[in-house]
Amino acid sequence: MSDADLMRSARFRKEREAGWQRLEALVTRAERDGLQRMEFAEARDLAALYRQATTSLAIAREISLDRALLTYLEALTARAYLSVYAPQERLGGLFRKFFTQSAPQAIRRSWLFIAIGFLCMGLGVLAGYFLYLENPAWFHVFMPPELAGGRGPSSTTEALRRVIYDENPASSGLGAFATTLFSHNTRIAIFVFGLGVFLCAPAIVLTFYNGLILGAFYALHVERGLGADLGGWLSIHGVTEISAICIACGGGVKLGAAVLFPGSRTRKHALQHAGKDAAKLAMVAAVMLVAAALLEGFGRQLVQDMTARYVIGWGVGLCWLSWFVFAGRART
């Protein structure tokens, strides 16, 4: 850089440096304390000095001042922009907004895709159920060995009953089975969401397959007269857990539908638009899976009455439904 350029850069900095220093001090305070704690005059000066700094940056770029000055102004204006325009929400406020507005609104906007998830699961359950009743050998086709845990068509009715009502699941293997089932369903939820972008097919197939497993397992117990008993055991955590899978499937299908049917948008923009709600559906599914784990971990051992199991499971399901339907609606 020539001597003339250096002099011009020094003069440019000297004329405006006081404003930049004042802006930097205000930005530092805004980052530390938030705009809510700043006085009105300080917030006003922050906005005004930010505009002046952006003008200085534009001029500095136009007349090609030294690189160090440009780097300083770019960093300062970027910080000031975030302080002025970024949402002024604390972490607690973001969580509160997610649970009271964003999540249930995303669920309602995506109801058709979530219904597709439940439809895929339901069809899988029916298919697995009737195929097993036609030929019990289908049980081993659908059920992974780690989920079966030694149970199958050769198991006695008494052995199956003891598993359902055993107060010490560690000795019967029920605890290991429930943990494996939860891990399996968690993986399915992740896969059906993540793979949905590939034209919906993987999400639909995986959800249907999970239904096949559930249907065959339920048919085994119905055949032995234990259908209602197993339904109660599954209800405690299954209502929440299976709903989480279907919601995750809905998010995946929504991403896939954006790729298949972008409408007036480009596929990239359609995917970005759908991804906003789809990501919220994935977060809702994650919250529900955590809740299902807690319900499964405690309710399965502590509650042995079949009716109580149904009441707890479907009562929790009704709470989820109420949240989805009523939360986040605008008040008149």
Side-chain angles (χ1 to χ4, degrees):
M1 181 178 291
S2 65
D3 291 342
D5 290 335
L6 288 174
M7 290 179 62
R8 182 171 57 179
S9 178
R11 186 167 58 250
F12 183 86
R13 178 190 290 267
K14 183 178 180 180
E15 292 172 353
R16 297 165 174 81
E17 192 167 21
W20 300 342
Q21 291 175 349
R22 170 66 173 161
L23 174 61
E24 187 170 10
L26 291 173
V27 168
T28 300
R29 181 174 177 188
E31 290 173 340
R32 185 184 67 245
D33 302 329
L35 285 178
Q36 298 89 341
R37 297 189 178 182
M38 297 180 68
E39 297 180 359
F40 172 77
E42 292 176 325
R44 179 195 60 201
D45 291 346
L46 173 62
L49 290 170
Y50 162 69
R51 289 191 292 269
Q52 293 175 17
T54 55
T55 302
S56 299
L57 176 59
I59 295 172
R61 285 173 173 168
E62 185 67 26
I63 62 179
S64 301
L65 294 181
D66 66 275
R67 185 68 242 176
L69 179 60
L70 288 174
T71 301
Y72 169 76
L73 287 175
E74 287 171 352
L76 179 60
T77 53
R79 292 173 59 200
Y81 174 84
L82 292 175
S83 297
V84 174
Y85 293 108
Q88 301 299 314
E89 286 277 8
R90 296 187 180 277
L91 187 60
L94 292 175
F95 274 108
R96 183 170 56 253
K97 184 177 181 180
F98 174 79
F99 285 107
T100 59
Q101 297 180 34
S102 303
Q105 289 169 358
I107 291 286
R108 290 195 292 271
R109 286 193 296 265
S110 307
W111 70 268
L112 178 60
F113 302 101
I114 296 173
I116 292 173
F118 277 98
L119 178 63
C120 294
M121 179 70 73
L123 291 176
V125 169
L126 288 175
Y129 180 85
F130 287 112
L131 284 172
Y132 174 88
L133 294 182
E134 179 186 348
N135 186 351
W138 283 107
F139 182 89
H140 297 294
V141 175
F142 300 143
M143 182 69 69
E146 64 272 15
L147 281 182
R151 282 169 284 276
S154 60
S155 300
T156 65
T157 301
E158 232 6 81
L160 295 175
R161 186 189 301 275
R162 282 198 304 270
V163 168
I164 295 174
Y165 290 107
D166 198 331
E167 296 184 7
N168 185 17
S171 63
S172 66
L174 179 60
F177 169 76
T179 301
T180 305
L181 180 63
F182 174 76
S183 300
H184 168 82
N185 286 339
T186 301
R187 288 195 300 269
I188 290 292
I190 294 172
F191 286 147
V192 297
F193 175 78
L195 298 178
V197 71
F198 296 106
L199 308 183
C200 304
I204 291 173
V205 171
L206 279 173
T207 306
F208 181 81
Y209 169 67
N210 207 61
L212 287 174
I213 295 174
L214 183 60
F217 190 70
Y218 186 67
L220 167 66
H221 289 75
V222 169
E223 187 182 50
R224 308 301 175 82
L226 297 173
D229 303 270
L230 180 69
W233 179 79
L234 287 174
S235 291
I236 287 186
H237 63 282
V239 172
T240 298
E241 196 168 307
I242 293 171
S243 298
I245 295 174
C246 295
I247 289 174
C249 177
V253 172
K254 187 164 189 173
L255 292 175
V259 176
L260 285 171
F261 310 107
S264 59
R265 299 184 175 94
T266 65
R267 280 188 166 81
K268 178 182 177 181
H269 290 157
L271 191 59
Q272 289 175 343
H273 184 264
K276 296 177 181 178
D277 278 349
K280 293 170 185 172
L281 263 59
M283 293 175 68
V284 169
V287 170
M288 294 179 71
L289 285 171
V290 171
L294 295 174
L295 289 168
E296 184 272 330
F298 294 100
R300 179 170 44 82
Q301 294 97 327
L302 298 177
V303 181
Q304 295 293 313
D305 179 70
M306 183 181 69
T307 302
R309 288 175 168 179
Y310 276 107
V311 170
I312 292 172
W314 290 97
V316 172
L318 183 61
C319 291
W320 290 118
L321 182 62
S322 300
W323 176 42
F324 298 151
V325 172
F326 298 112
R329 292 188 179 276
R331 297 180 179 177
T332 57

